[in-house]
Amino acid sequence: MTKPRLAVRALIVHQNRLLLVNAWPDGQSDLWCAPGGGVEPGQSLPENLQREVQEECGLQIAVGAPCLVNEFHDPASRFHQVDIYFRAEITGGRISADWVDPAGVVTTRRFVTEAELRRLRYKPDSLPEIAWGDAAWDGRALYDPLEPILR
Protein backbone atom coordinates (compact mmCIF):
# COMPACT_ATOMS: atom_id res chain seq x y z
CA MET A 1 0.00 0.00 0.00
CA THR A 2 1.29 3.47 -0.88
CA LYS A 3 1.48 6.22 1.73
CA PRO A 4 -1.07 9.02 1.61
CA ARG A 5 0.07 12.22 -0.06
CA LEU A 6 -0.16 15.29 2.17
CA ALA A 7 -1.34 18.58 0.64
CA VAL A 8 -2.32 22.02 1.92
CA ARG A 9 -5.04 24.30 0.58
CA ALA A 10 -5.96 27.94 1.20
CA LEU A 11 -9.46 29.03 2.03
CA ILE A 12 -9.34 32.66 0.91
CA VAL A 13 -12.57 34.65 1.20
CA HIS A 14 -11.96 38.18 -0.06
CA GLN A 15 -14.81 40.70 -0.24
CA ASN A 16 -17.24 37.80 0.42
CA ARG A 17 -15.91 35.85 -2.58
CA LEU A 18 -14.02 32.55 -2.40
CA LEU A 19 -10.87 32.01 -4.47
CA LEU A 20 -11.04 28.86 -6.61
CA VAL A 21 -8.72 27.26 -9.14
CA ASN A 22 -9.26 24.75 -11.89
CA ALA A 23 -6.32 22.41 -11.37
CA TRP A 24 -6.70 20.41 -14.55
CA PRO A 25 -4.26 21.28 -17.34
CA ASP A 26 -5.85 22.37 -20.59
CA GLY A 27 -9.38 22.35 -19.13
CA GLN A 28 -9.57 18.54 -18.90
CA SER A 29 -12.21 18.87 -16.17
CA ASP A 30 -14.73 21.42 -14.93
CA LEU A 31 -13.94 20.59 -11.29
CA TRP A 32 -12.94 23.55 -9.08
CA CYS A 33 -11.05 23.54 -5.76
CA ALA A 34 -9.19 25.83 -3.38
CA PRO A 35 -5.59 26.70 -4.36
CA GLY A 36 -2.78 24.65 -2.87
CA GLY A 37 -0.80 21.51 -3.41
CA GLY A 38 1.64 18.93 -2.19
CA VAL A 39 3.80 19.42 0.87
CA GLU A 40 7.57 19.49 0.40
CA PRO A 41 9.70 18.06 3.24
CA GLY A 42 11.63 20.53 5.38
CA GLN A 43 9.06 23.33 5.09
CA SER A 44 6.21 24.04 7.49
CA LEU A 45 2.65 23.57 6.29
CA PRO A 46 2.09 27.37 6.16
CA GLU A 47 5.33 27.84 4.18
CA ASN A 48 4.23 25.17 1.71
CA LEU A 49 0.84 26.85 1.35
CA GLN A 50 2.37 30.28 0.76
CA ARG A 51 4.57 28.79 -1.99
CA GLU A 52 1.67 26.97 -3.65
CA VAL A 53 -0.64 30.01 -3.68
CA GLN A 54 2.18 32.17 -5.08
CA GLU A 55 2.85 29.63 -7.84
CA GLU A 56 -0.79 29.00 -8.75
CA CYS A 57 -2.24 32.50 -8.33
CA GLY A 58 0.54 35.06 -8.01
CA LEU A 59 -0.66 36.05 -4.53
CA GLN A 60 1.13 36.46 -1.23
CA ILE A 61 -0.87 35.30 1.78
CA ALA A 62 -0.88 35.24 5.56
CA VAL A 63 -1.84 31.75 6.73
CA GLY A 64 -4.29 31.41 9.61
CA ALA A 65 -5.86 28.50 11.46
CA PRO A 66 -6.67 25.09 9.97
CA CYS A 67 -10.37 24.77 9.12
CA LEU A 68 -10.82 21.45 7.30
CA VAL A 69 -9.21 18.05 6.84
CA ASN A 70 -10.38 16.35 3.64
CA GLU A 71 -9.43 12.88 2.37
CA PHE A 72 -9.92 11.38 -1.05
CA HIS A 73 -8.61 8.36 -2.90
CA ASP A 74 -8.63 6.54 -6.20
CA PRO A 75 -9.36 2.87 -5.48
CA ALA A 76 -8.09 1.83 -8.93
CA SER A 77 -4.62 3.36 -8.53
CA ARG A 78 -4.45 3.27 -4.71
CA PHE A 79 -3.80 7.04 -4.70
CA HIS A 80 -4.80 8.58 -1.36
CA GLN A 81 -4.49 12.27 -0.49
CA VAL A 82 -5.08 14.18 2.74
CA ASP A 83 -5.72 17.92 2.28
CA ILE A 84 -5.38 20.28 5.22
CA TYR A 85 -7.22 23.54 4.58
CA PHE A 86 -6.11 26.75 6.28
CA ARG A 87 -7.88 30.09 6.42
CA ALA A 88 -5.72 32.68 4.66
CA GLU A 89 -5.72 36.37 3.79
CA ILE A 90 -4.19 38.09 0.79
CA THR A 91 -1.26 40.33 1.72
CA GLY A 92 0.05 41.10 -1.78
CA GLY A 93 -0.41 40.53 -5.48
CA ARG A 94 -3.59 40.33 -7.53
CA ILE A 95 -5.41 37.83 -9.71
CA SER A 96 -4.35 38.35 -13.31
CA ALA A 97 -5.52 36.55 -16.44
CA ASP A 98 -1.96 36.45 -17.75
CA TRP A 99 -0.46 34.79 -14.63
CA VAL A 100 1.14 31.44 -15.51
CA ASP A 101 1.48 28.61 -12.99
CA PRO A 102 5.11 27.42 -13.42
CA ALA A 103 3.95 23.80 -13.01
CA GLY A 104 1.33 24.31 -15.74
CA VAL A 105 -1.39 22.69 -13.64
CA VAL A 106 -3.62 25.63 -12.74
CA THR A 107 -4.81 27.40 -15.87
CA THR A 108 -7.81 29.29 -14.45
CA ARG A 109 -8.41 31.04 -11.15
CA ARG A 110 -11.35 33.15 -10.02
CA PHE A 111 -13.26 34.55 -7.06
CA VAL A 112 -16.87 33.37 -6.70
CA THR A 113 -19.83 34.24 -4.51
CA GLU A 114 -21.62 31.50 -2.61
CA ALA A 115 -24.42 31.50 -5.21
CA GLU A 116 -21.87 31.17 -8.04
CA LEU A 117 -20.05 28.35 -6.21
CA ARG A 118 -23.26 26.36 -5.90
CA ARG A 119 -23.65 26.43 -9.70
CA LEU A 120 -20.17 24.98 -10.24
CA ARG A 121 -18.80 21.48 -9.82
CA TYR A 122 -16.40 21.67 -6.88
CA LYS A 123 -14.72 19.61 -4.18
CA PRO A 124 -14.86 19.13 -1.32
CA ASP A 125 -18.60 19.27 -0.73
CA SER A 126 -18.08 21.24 2.49
CA LEU A 127 -16.55 24.31 0.77
CA PRO A 128 -19.64 26.52 1.22
CA GLU A 129 -19.89 25.57 4.90
CA ILE A 130 -16.28 26.39 5.71
CA ALA A 131 -16.34 29.59 3.62
CA TRP A 132 -19.72 31.06 4.59
CA GLY A 133 -21.54 28.72 7.02
CA ASP A 134 -21.50 28.34 10.78
CA ALA A 135 -18.00 26.81 10.67
CA ALA A 136 -16.72 30.04 9.09
CA TRP A 137 -17.81 32.07 12.10
CA ASP A 138 -17.24 29.81 15.10
CA GLY A 139 -13.65 28.84 14.33
CA ARG A 140 -14.17 25.10 14.36
CA ALA A 141 -12.43 22.78 11.93
CA LEU A 142 -14.39 20.20 9.92
CA TYR A 143 -13.45 16.71 8.76
CA ASP A 144 -14.60 15.25 5.45
CA PRO A 145 -14.38 11.44 5.49
CA LEU A 146 -12.54 9.51 2.81
CA GLU A 147 -14.31 9.67 -0.56
CA PRO A 148 -13.50 8.49 -4.10
CA ILE A 149 -11.70 10.96 -6.34
CA LEU A 150 -13.63 12.88 -9.01
CA ARG A 151 -12.28 13.81 -12.41
Side-chain angles (χ1 to χ4, degrees):
M1 176 120 182
T2 60
K3 292 181 181 180
R5 177 180 190 254
L6 180 61
V8 288
R9 299 211 174 269
L11 185 78
I12 301 171
V13 178
H14 181 72
Q15 298 178 341
N16 207 32
R17 293 175 171 263
L18 177 65
L19 179 60
L20 296 178
V21 297
N22 179 297
W24 293 90
D26 302 322
Q28 296 172 1
S29 174
D30 63 348
L31 187 66
W32 292 84
C33 63
V39 169
E40 297 292 331
Q43 290 185 326
S44 70
L45 297 178
E47 288 170 333
N48 273 280
L49 187 54
Q50 289 168 328
R51 174 184 42 77
E52 286 290 340
V53 171
Q54 171 62 40
E55 289 173 359
E56 293 181 358
C57 302
L59 299 173
Q60 293 82 49
I61 60 168
V63 179
C67 57
L68 174 68
V69 175
N70 173 253
E71 288 188 86
F72 60 93
H73 72 118
D74 181 354
S77 69
R78 298 171 52 122
F79 177 79
H80 181 171
Q81 182 162 306
V82 177
D83 286 342
I84 301 173
Y85 285 71
F86 290 83
R87 295 192 185 286
E89 292 184 12
I90 299 169
T91 59
R94 64 179 178 79
I95 296 295
S96 171
D98 54 341
W99 181 262
V100 177
D101 174 5
V105 176
V106 171
T107 55
T108 309
R109 60 209 55 80
R110 67 191 262 207
F111 283 96
V112 298
T113 65
E114 182 177 2
E116 290 168 331
L117 176 66
R118 293 187 185 279
R119 290 190 297 268
L120 298 173
R121 201 165 76 96
Y122 61 87
K123 278 295 177 188
D125 294 342
S126 59
L127 267 179
E129 171 65 14
I130 60 171
W132 295 286
D134 290 340
W137 308 112
D138 66 15
R140 65 187 159 105
L142 300 179
Y143 170 69
D144 282 336
L146 184 65
E147 63 181 348
I149 195 169
L150 290 183
R151 298 199 189 283

